[in-house]
Amino acid sequence: MSRTPPRSTPVSRPSLRAPVAGRSNALPAGAWWLWALGLAAAASRTTNPLLLGLLVGVAGYVVAARRTDAPWARSYGAFIKLGLAVIVIRLLFSVVLGSPVPGERLLVTLPEVPLPGWAAGVRIGGRVTAEQLVFALYDGAKLATLLICVGAANALASPARLLKSLPGALYEAGVAVVVAMTFAPNMVADVGRLRTARRLRGRPAGGVRAVLQIGLPVLEGALERSVAVAASMDARGYGRTAEVPRAVRHTTTALTLGGLLGVCAGSYALLAAEGAGYGLPLLGAGLAAALAGLRLGGRRSVRTRYRPDRWGVRAWLVAGSGAAVAALMIRAGAVDPAALHPGVVPLVAPVLPLRPAAGALLGLLPAFVAPVPTPSPAELPAQRKTAP
């Protein structure tokens, strides 16, 4: 008589895949903003279009991999269009108003408008060279990359979670910032929903008349959301402050203002060509003073946080990847500045430097370590069909 061998209990192995995002393991909004600001700082140190395109590709890949279906997550395309518009406007300004960059490759000569003597150094029209257009293209591409990096943070970080993680001293200002950040995405979502409803009813969704008919419901919805937000804030005791001594208030003001001035001066020094030596210590001192001021200012706030965000290993990896990209780009600019700023006079083709490019690829780390967003209900049937 044969006996069936007992089945062995499967041993659970730790998975290296990122978990599905939930309320308990979702990344703090500050981690996404630090990552995006690191990419933006790296973009501010170079005018090489190949590196700028690589940074835009890194930001776009992470957004595509970890973006949710929230209204604010749909604003990334608007930032891309805004970046392209900035490049076009910069090129138009260079053509119409001229450029201080000398050039020998003449493309076209526009009629020049005579200006009075007090406008010396300013011209309208005249010679348009290839060198000045390339210089304007590089300059506009850098600003467009900065906007796209900020748009990536806006598409990945929840404004409500960002407001919840702010210090108590910045809560009032943070509410205004969050309302400003969420107004445009919600308005875009309302316009899209109303246009879809008009198409289903057989009415035109384009034209001046349709815009006028859509505008009133959009404004009405914005007013209703504002009233609902005000009621919820009043129910939660918003605006109540505790009494603190006058000396503490003065010390808080001095530390906060002095720290913010130090942060601005240090950031400007880091963005300058020759200020990286003293910019980092000044930035560190400013951050320390500002944090101390915010710590003291938080005593006025009597609110509490429900389920505060926790900075786990994944959050530190996301924020650290952006900081690593910025640090490596700053280091590359100190070692080989010519690779980060291709020449315009004489006009040469840009070359992709390998070390800064490898450092920019570190910004892809959030696409693999950040929790995977929960799929929308419309995507679940498709995932069940493709599942083995």
Side-chain angles (χ1 to χ4, degrees):
M1 181 176 180
S2 61
R3 299 178 59 185
T4 304
R7 296 181 179 180
S8 59
T9 304
V11 180
S12 60
R13 297 180 179 179
S15 177
L16 298 178
R17 297 181 180 179
V20 178
R23 182 182 293 272
S24 59
N25 64 347
L27 287 184
W32 287 119
W33 274 99
L34 290 177
W35 167 79
L37 291 178
L39 296 184
S44 66
R45 303 294 298 183
T46 179
T47 56
N48 191 324
L50 300 179
L51 288 176
L52 294 176
L54 183 60
L55 290 173
V56 171
V58 167
Y61 183 82
V62 175
V63 170
R66 292 298 183 264
R67 182 173 58 178
T68 62
D69 294 332
W72 64 81
R74 305 171 188 172
S75 61
Y76 185 68
F79 279 92
I80 294 179
K81 296 178 182 178
L82 180 60
L84 295 176
V86 165
I87 295 176
V88 173
I89 293 173
R90 183 66 179 87
L91 290 174
L92 290 177
F93 278 6
S94 177
V95 171
V96 176
L97 302 179
S99 174
V101 177
E104 298 179 355
R105 300 184 181 183
L106 181 64
L107 297 179
V108 67
T109 302
L110 300 177
E112 187 171 354
V113 178
L115 298 176
W118 53 267
V122 179
R123 68 178 178 87
I124 300 178
R127 301 173 70 251
V128 179
T129 61
E131 287 82 357
Q132 78 177 60
L133 289 182
V134 172
F135 177 78
L137 178 62
Y138 290 172
D139 196 19
K142 180 170 68 172
L143 182 56
T145 305
L146 294 175
L147 292 175
I148 291 174
C149 291
V150 174
N154 197 17
L156 293 170
S158 170
R161 296 179 70 91
L162 180 62
L163 175 62
K164 186 174 67 172
S165 61
L166 285 178
L170 297 178
Y171 188 68
E172 289 82 358
V175 170
V177 173
V178 169
V179 170
M181 290 171 59
T182 55
F183 176 76
N186 288 327
M187 185 177 64
V188 171
D190 289 344
V191 171
R193 185 172 62 252
L194 290 174
R195 293 184 64 182
T196 303
R198 290 181 62 87
R199 292 193 191 97
L200 293 176
R201 294 185 178 96
R203 299 178 182 178
V208 179
R209 184 177 180 181
V211 171
L212 294 177
Q213 293 178 353
I214 290 175
L216 183 60
V218 169
L219 294 178
E220 183 180 0
L223 180 60
E224 291 179 356
R225 282 196 302 270
S226 301
V227 173
V229 170
S232 63
M233 291 168 63
D234 182 70
R236 291 172 173 83
Y238 171 77
R240 300 176 184 177
T241 57
E243 292 292 335
V244 294
R246 180 178 299 178
V248 175
R249 292 201 303 268
H250 293 336
T251 305
T252 301
T253 303
L255 288 175
T256 305
L257 292 180
L260 293 178
L261 289 176
V263 169
C264 293
S267 301
Y268 178 80
L270 288 176
L271 296 177
E274 300 178 354
Y278 63 89
L280 190 59
L282 187 59
L283 179 62
L287 284 176
L291 291 176
L294 294 178
R295 182 74 176 180
L296 288 176
R299 296 181 179 181
R300 295 180 64 248
S301 177
V302 295
R303 69 186 183 95
T304 58
R305 291 188 179 92
Y306 177 68
R307 292 182 178 179
D309 293 333
R310 296 180 180 181
W311 282 71
V313 177
R314 299 182 184 274
W316 286 112
L317 287 175
V318 169
S321 63
V325 172
L328 292 176
M329 193 69 70
I330 293 174
R331 177 62 179 171
V335 174
D336 188 10
L340 302 186
H341 302 279
V344 178
V345 180
L347 191 60
V348 295
V351 179
L352 181 63
L354 296 182
R355 290 185 179 180
L361 292 178
L362 291 177
L364 293 173
L365 186 62
F368 303 98
V369 301
V372 181
T374 305
S376 61
E379 297 176 352
L380 289 178
Q383 289 187 1
R384 293 192 185 102
K385 292 180 181 179
T386 58

